Amino acid sequence: ADTDAKEPEVTLTRRASITQRTGEAWPGVALTLSTSRPSATTTAPVVRPLTVDFYVPPKPTGLAGQMSMRSAGGNAKARAEFQADEKVQRHRRNQLAAAPRAVAQAQATLERTAFEASFTVPGRVDVADTGEAKRVELSKEVIKPKLNVRTVPRRASIAYLYANLTLPKDAPYLAGQVALFRANTFVGNGRLPNLAPGAEHELGFGRDSSVTVKYDILGEKRGESGIISSSTTDERNYRITVTNQHARPIEVLVIDQMPVSLNEDITVELTGKSPDEKNFEGKRGVLAWRFDLKPDAERKVTFGYNLAWPADKRITYRHSSR
């Protein structure tokens, strides 16, 4: 990512790494790499009928013996799966032990059909059977990204630079590791999922030190309400301050959260500045504010929430994946 240019650019370079341990060297081969995946399944999963019936408890006779047999069978299966996994991991370690040899990069020719794409590597290549990597460059695209800064100050008062990319429509991108550079400086590794041609995707390019974030707890107060203390209340208020020290404006995305009630007797009321999204990325209770911040400008987001529940009950907070 060239973020210092007047118009930022992201150069997306697709490479392939070929290794083989067949016991037969491949000297001077014509190499074509395809986006098809023959090792993956070729048909959709089968959906089997789902039935529901009344539960019938098992007979107590011989239950201990049955449980012992099931446990033994399960342990044997687990040991077999563990040994198989160890064998796979050992093979991978042996592959990584072979030091890769530096080779010249040559860009491939793309041939696309309706359902897949193939990259023909120019010339002839040698692929040894020792597991050493042969690396080839398949394509290089320059993309005009949309830059933004994302922060989750409840977890860390840090701003992260993101680049929103619209991928070229030439070929799909397979899942794999991404080496990330910003202004020719390595900032870390990420991963790409499987992406269709023309898809949109965001890549994080590490910490943006020119955007500062401050998270303040304005108040946390628990009390009681009602004539005879019929309910307990919990009031919390926060303030998020974002400052742009860039010489250019930047789009900012601030993410926080509020509890989600799973019981009608527990009420949650949002206070302060309403977010632009209340269920960000489809996650309940995750709040998001979006705004543009001019150079040397500062923006404050003040919000909170009030909880109320019956005084004779206790509540608990749990994090969920949805």
Side-chain angles (χ1 to χ4, degrees), residues 24-52:
E24 178 185 8
W26 300 345
V29 296
L31 192 61
T32 299
L33 305 176
S34 173
T35 57
S36 64
R37 283 154 284 181
S39 61
T41 57
T42 57
T43 57
V46 176
V47 178
R48 303 187 183 279
L50 176 65
T51 62
V52 61

Side-chain angles (χ1 to χ4, degrees), residues 8 50 61 73 77 94 104 112 134-135 154 181 192 232 238 247 287:
L50 176 65
T61 305
K77 182 180 179 181
N94 291 337
R112 185 183 177 191
K134 171 70 68 173
R135 291 181 174 84
R154 181 179 293 267
F181 295 81
L192 273 184
T232 304
Y238 308 96
L287 314 175

Side-chain angles (χ1 to χ4, degrees), residues 266-315:
I266 303 174
T267 62
V268 184
E269 178 186 7
L270 179 66
T271 62
K273 182 174 176 55
S274 297
D276 296 293
E277 295 184 50
K278 288 188 177 180
N279 295 303
F280 179 67
E281 294 182 339
K283 298 177 182 177
R284 296 179 299 169
V286 178
L287 314 175
W289 293 266
R290 298 180 186 270
F291 50 86
D292 293 325
L293 205 54
K294 295 180 179 180
D296 298 320
E298 178 182 277
R299 176 71 67 88
K300 289 181 170 61
V301 176
T302 303
F303 83 104
Y305 52 83
N306 296 328
L307 277 77
W309 65 94
D312 58 344
K313 302 285 186 179
R314 294 179 59 187
I315 63 171

Side-chain angles (χ1 to χ4, degrees):
D2 184 1
T3 57
D4 295 331
K6 186 176 181 180
E7 293 187 16
E9 293 180 344
V10 169
T11 301
L12 191 59
T13 305
R14 186 202 315 251
R15 292 186 173 93
S17 178
I18 303 103
T19 60
Q20 61 105 353
R21 289 181 177 273
T22 62
E24 178 185 8
W26 300 345
V29 296
L31 192 61
T32 299
L33 305 176
S34 173
T35 57
S36 64
R37 283 154 284 181
S39 61
T41 57
T42 57
T43 57
V46 176
V47 178
R48 303 187 183 279
L50 176 65
T51 62
V52 61
D53 200 352
F54 290 108
Y55 173 72
V56 178
K59 296 180 180 180
T61 305
L63 181 60
Q66 294 176 13
M67 292 180 63
S68 177
M69 291 177 62
R70 291 176 182 173
S71 177
N75 290 337
K77 182 180 179 181
R79 283 196 298 272
E81 292 177 347
F82 177 79
Q83 292 171 355
D85 184 69
E86 276 290 290
K87 185 177 180 181
V88 172
Q89 296 297 330
R90 186 164 56 252
H91 178 66
R92 289 177 178 174
R93 286 195 295 269
N94 291 337
Q95 286 183 321
L96 292 175
R101 180 178 59 185
V103 297
Q105 302 270 344
Q107 189 160 316
T109 302
L110 171 64
E111 297 179 8
R112 185 183 177 191
T113 65
F115 295 98
E116 65 180 37
S118 297
F119 296 89
T120 301
V121 179
R124 299 275 176 164
V125 297
D126 297 333
V127 183
D129 63 340
T130 59
E132 70 179 30
K134 171 70 68 173
R135 291 181 174 84
V136 293
E137 182 177 303
L138 302 182
S139 65
K140 179 179 289 186
E141 300 286 348
V142 178
I143 303 172
K144 299 292 185 182
K146 183 179 180 182
L147 300 180
N148 67 84
V149 166
R150 179 179 299 191
T151 180
V152 188
R154 181 179 293 267
R155 298 295 182 87
S157 295
I158 298 173
Y160 294 91
L161 180 66
Y162 278 72
N164 189 296
L165 312 174
T166 300
L167 300 179
K169 295 184 178 181
D170 54 1
Y173 280 80
L174 304 185
Q177 180 173 289
V178 181
L180 299 165
F181 295 81
R182 192 172 72 200
N184 296 321
T185 301
F186 179 67
V187 295
N189 290 314
R191 287 196 66 82
L192 273 184
N194 288 312
L195 294 170
E200 289 191 1
H201 185 70
E202 278 195 326
L203 279 176
F205 280 89
R207 182 170 183 167
D208 187 343
S209 299
S210 295
V211 177
T212 60
V213 182
K214 186 179 180 183
Y215 193 72
D216 295 313
I217 300 175
L218 301 182
E220 295 182 337
K221 182 174 64 176
R222 178 169 291 193
E224 296 178 344
S225 63
I227 299 176
I228 53 175
S229 300
S230 59
S231 64
T232 304
T233 61
D234 190 357
E235 180 181 341
R236 305 194 181 195
N237 293 284
Y238 308 96
R239 181 176 60 213
I240 303 166
T241 306
V242 183
T243 306
N244 178 20
Q245 296 174 339
H246 281 289
R248 67 173 69 181
I250 191 76
E251 180 183 315
V252 179
L253 174 64
V254 176
I255 302 173
D256 211 302
Q257 65 181 152
M258 61 180 290
V260 176
S261 174
L262 299 180
N263 192 298
E264 62 180 6
D265 291 331
I266 303 174
T267 62
V268 184
E269 178 186 7
L270 179 66
T271 62
K273 182 174 176 55
S274 297
D276 296 293
E277 295 184 50
K278 288 188 177 180
N279 295 303
F280 179 67
E281 294 182 339
K283 298 177 182 177
R284 296 179 299 169
V286 178
L287 314 175
W289 293 266
R290 298 180 186 270
F291 50 86
D292 293 325
L293 205 54
K294 295 180 179 180
D296 298 320
E298 178 182 277
R299 176 71 67 88
K300 289 181 170 61
V301 176
T302 303
F303 83 104
Y305 52 83
N306 296 328
L307 277 77
W309 65 94
D312 58 344
K313 302 285 186 179
R314 294 179 59 187
I315 63 171
T316 182
Y317 296 94
R318 292 192 183 93
H319 286 284
S320 64
S321 58
R322 299 183 64 183

